[in-house]
Amino acid sequence: MRKIIHIDMDAFFASVEQHDHPELRGIPIAVGGAEHRGVVCAASYEARRYGVRSAMSGAEARKRCPHITFVPVHFERYKEVSAAIHSIFHDYTDIIEPISLDEAFLDVTENKPGIPLAVDIAKELRRRIWEELGLTASAGVSYNKFLAKIASEERKPNGLCTIHPDQALELIERLPVESFWGVGRATARRMHQLGIRTGADLRARSLQELQRHFGKAGQTFYDYARGIDERPVEYERVRKSIGCEHTFETNTAEPLELEQRLLEVLSDLKRRLERRSFRGRTLTLKLKFADFSVQSRAYSAPHLLEEAELEAEALTLLWGVELSGRSVRLLGLTVSNPPEELRPGMWVQQWLDFDPASLELKLL
């Protein structure tokens, strides 16, 4: 049986700031979000007590907690601390799947120190992260990724929870469906309409019924309800797309201004494509409007897109959007659909590709 640990750093960005700046300890802080159009990318636990959370506008955070302190984003520092955390992980296993800068799965079935119990490794990881970096982490231990992540949420912050095989089904029965991986707001709403609110409700439904309502995801939900998750800890990722997005300081509906801003996004995208030696067949344009609705348009070529083609195709996609007087707050471009033969040399870790300039879209 596999031994999987899920590590989730507690309020990571905010905790790093409080560690580096003792005067911020014990008070509500928000990382980012101070400007009129800013977005909170992390909130300390002191701020969360007032309902402040990531992806909230800075204005709303100030409204909920008038005495909150806003701190600028120091992404390079968070990346440095994340690398130090992963260095600790590698003392125990190299089978590590980074989910983000502050979250990862570790497969410790066979581990470097030869420690027999995964819970003991989790205890060591949390102890070392605290002693060496001054930060707290929550850990979940179980026999698959789904349950390890559920376990890490059970005793946050600064907690440790193990879900043994003989406990799994009883725990899953009590879980609200919102806790299941892959169940977002829309899926939860559909489940509620079907009378599915807990893991027990989900387990009572047949595979055929779940597939009829949820397609391929039906098999996944059927398995999760029975404590089954065969996904391995993937310690290498294949890059399938590269994108770039800009959020504007002020919204605009002017076609010429949108064209200029699109070219600025394209310029950044070209640099990223060159840096990663990435090419693809599909170009996707994304627009977010003032009301936060999103519209996308895509062009796929029968060949790999050349750099010289990107500008013409991007503008063509933009011209094809019917604005109807709506103003735009964000533009994004993504190149995807690389050929299979190019993929083996493109292993990347997603946590290294986080772009603070695109923070709003990634958090919303």
Side-chain angles (χ1 to χ4, degrees):
M1 183 171 292
R2 293 186 300 164
K3 301 173 184 178
I4 308 298
I5 298 174
H6 179 256
I7 295 288
D8 193 358
M9 300 301 298
D10 299 321
F12 182 54
F13 290 6
S15 295
V16 172
E17 295 294 344
Q18 289 179 316
H19 173 270
D20 291 352
H21 304 282
E23 70 275 13
L24 298 177
R25 297 174 189 173
I27 66 172
I29 72 166
V31 178
E35 300 300 326
H36 171 64
R37 298 174 65 81
V39 175
V40 174
C41 52
S44 67
Y45 281 98
E46 295 86 355
R48 294 183 188 188
R49 297 192 188 105
Y50 293 86
V52 180
R53 54 178 174 76
S54 62
M56 179 179 287
S57 71
E60 178 64 21
R62 177 75 73 185
K63 180 179 178 182
R64 296 192 182 198
C65 182
H67 57 292
I68 197 168
T69 298
F70 288 98
V71 181
V73 177
H74 298 108
F75 179 71
E76 289 303 318
R77 172 60 177 156
Y78 313 144
K79 189 172 175 180
E80 172 189 330
V81 176
S82 181
I85 294 168
H86 279 254
S87 178
I88 294 173
F89 293 164
H90 279 284
D91 287 343
Y92 298 86
T93 179
D94 291 326
I95 306 178
I96 302 165
E97 181 178 349
I99 305 302
S100 61
L101 283 174
D102 60 344
E103 183 181 2
F105 286 103
L106 292 76
D107 188 329
V108 296
T109 309
E110 296 181 5
N111 56 86
K112 295 178 181 179
I115 298 173
L117 296 179
V119 66
D120 290 336
I121 297 176
K123 289 177 181 177
E124 281 203 25
L125 291 171
R126 295 178 63 248
R127 175 185 59 78
R128 289 189 56 187
I129 290 171
W130 171 251
E131 291 179 356
E132 297 176 27
L133 302 172
L135 300 173
T136 64
S138 295
V141 180
S142 197
Y143 60 91
N144 63 39
K145 289 165 68 174
F146 167 61
L147 289 169
K149 183 168 176 63
I150 293 294
S152 70
E153 295 291 332
E154 282 290 296
R155 294 174 187 165
K156 283 185 71 71
N158 196 24
L160 170 62
C161 177
T162 300
I163 299 177
H164 296 282
D166 57 354
Q167 302 170 324
L169 293 183
E170 182 181 352
L171 182 145
I172 291 170
E173 285 181 354
R174 303 194 306 267
L175 287 177
V177 291
E178 290 84 352
S179 297
F180 282 68
W181 218 330
V183 178
R185 291 181 183 177
T187 301
R189 187 162 52 247
R190 290 181 62 195
M191 286 188 174
H192 290 172
Q193 292 169 350
L194 294 168
I196 302 173
R197 294 185 175 274
T198 67
D201 297 332
L202 193 59
R203 193 183 306 156
R205 304 306 175 100
S206 68
L207 174 60
Q208 291 75 17
E209 181 181 1
L210 293 176
Q211 288 178 326
R212 184 168 67 252
H213 289 289
F214 303 105
K216 293 181 179 179
Q219 177 73 64
T220 300
F221 298 148
Y222 181 86
D223 290 342
Y224 285 173
R226 289 157 177 77
I228 300 169
D229 180 7
E230 300 295 340
R231 295 172 303 158
V233 174
E234 299 178 3
Y235 55 99
E236 290 181 319
R237 299 285 188 91
V238 176
R239 172 163 289 286
K240 297 181 180 179
S241 66
I242 286 182
C244 183
E245 294 153 354
H246 287 185
T247 300
F248 309 146
E249 288 295 326
T250 56
N251 300 342
T252 182
E254 293 295 327
L256 291 179
E257 187 174 358
L258 285 172
E259 289 179 15
Q260 179 58 42
R261 293 186 176 185
L262 181 69
L263 294 178
E264 293 171 1
V265 176
L266 180 61
S267 178
D268 284 350
L269 176 61
K270 287 179 177 179
R271 284 195 291 270
R272 296 186 187 189
L273 292 171
E274 182 179 2
R275 189 164 63 244
R276 295 288 183 183
S277 299
F278 184 92
R279 297 176 67 193
R281 297 186 179 94
T282 300
L283 178 67
T284 301
L285 168 71
K286 189 169 193 175
L287 298 95
K288 180 181 287 187
F289 297 97
D291 62 359
F292 285 86
S293 62
V294 175
Q295 184 172 341
S296 298
R297 297 177 63 88
Y299 165 76
S300 291
H303 56 271
L304 291 177
L305 291 167
E306 300 289 345
E307 182 177 325
E309 296 178 85
L310 293 176
E311 180 175 330
E313 298 302 340
L315 289 171
T316 300
L317 290 173
L318 179 62
W319 295 332
V321 175
E322 181 57 54
L323 294 176
S324 301
R326 294 178 296 172
S327 58
V328 178
R329 63 178 286 121
L330 177 147
L331 277 176
L333 287 171
T334 299
V335 172
S336 60
N337 194 18
E340 292 291 336
E341 62 269 19
L342 290 185
R343 292 180 181 175
M346 296 180 182
W347 299 107
V348 297
Q349 294 177 327
Q350 287 186 345
W351 65 282
L352 288 176
D353 295 327
F354 179 90
D355 177 16
S358 303
L359 194 56
E360 180 193 45
L361 185 69
K362 291 181 182 292
L363 288 173
L364 292 177

